[in-house]
């Protein structure tokens, strides 16, 4: 377990787990998550997140392949950049910049 954080503005907890190979899982709790699977805060498996070294290069690469991404945001907790796009089934895929 890396950290457990309560986010008051969302009335939710975030539990960050890291495995010996460096892979990570983040588990979230939300009091009333939407039922639709393609919303980022939905019940069940929300989405896959892939780490990238350079968010700008990632978004440019995806745009050149015809994939549109949301605007790049900064995670208030980790200060890391992230964005979402949709897969072929319109489910969200996250890209998360790590250092």
């Amino acid at each position: 377990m890396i950290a457990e954080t309560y986010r008051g503005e969302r009335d939710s907890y975030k539990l960050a787990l890291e495995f010996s190979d460096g892979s990570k899982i983040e588990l979230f709790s939300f009091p009333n998550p939407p039922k639709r699977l393609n919303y980022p805060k939905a019940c069940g498996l929300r989405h896959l997140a892939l780490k990238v070294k350079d968010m700008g290069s990632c978004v440019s690469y995806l745009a050149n392949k015809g994939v549109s991404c949301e605007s790049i945001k900064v995670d208030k907790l980790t200060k890391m950049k992230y964005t979402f796009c949709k897969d072929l089934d319109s489910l969200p895929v996250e890209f998360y910049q790590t250092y």
Side-chain angles (χ1 to χ4, degrees):
M1 186 172 101
I2 299 170
E4 181 179 28
T5 306
Y6 177 71
R7 295 180 175 194
E9 71 278 5
R10 297 179 181 183
D11 189 26
S12 72
Y13 284 90
K14 173 184 171 186
L15 177 64
L17 305 171
E18 183 173 13
F19 299 92
S20 59
D21 67 355
S23 58
K24 297 178 183 176
I25 294 178
E26 294 178 333
L27 303 173
F28 297 83
S29 69
F30 292 99
N32 297 302
K35 299 297 182 196
R36 289 190 58 195
L37 295 178
N38 62 346
Y39 288 151
K41 295 182 181 76
C43 291
L45 177 65
R46 293 183 350 154
H47 62 273
L48 296 178
L50 305 170
K51 70 179 179 179
V52 298
K53 291 182 181 177
D54 183 282
M55 187 61 65
S57 295
C58 174
V59 170
S60 293
Y61 176 84
L62 291 169
N64 287 334
K65 300 294 182 184
V67 177
S68 62
C69 293
E70 295 179 358
S71 61
I72 296 172
K73 299 173 187 79
V74 176
D75 186 301
K76 292 178 184 178
L77 182 62
T78 65
K79 309 300 185 219
M80 301 286 188
K81 293 179 184 177
Y82 70 97
T83 189
F84 284 90
C85 69
K86 302 261 185 200
D87 73 7
L88 296 175
D89 294 318
S90 294
L91 297 172
V93 176
E94 180 180 12
F95 294 90
Y96 199 87
Q97 181 172 310
T98 60
Y99 298 104

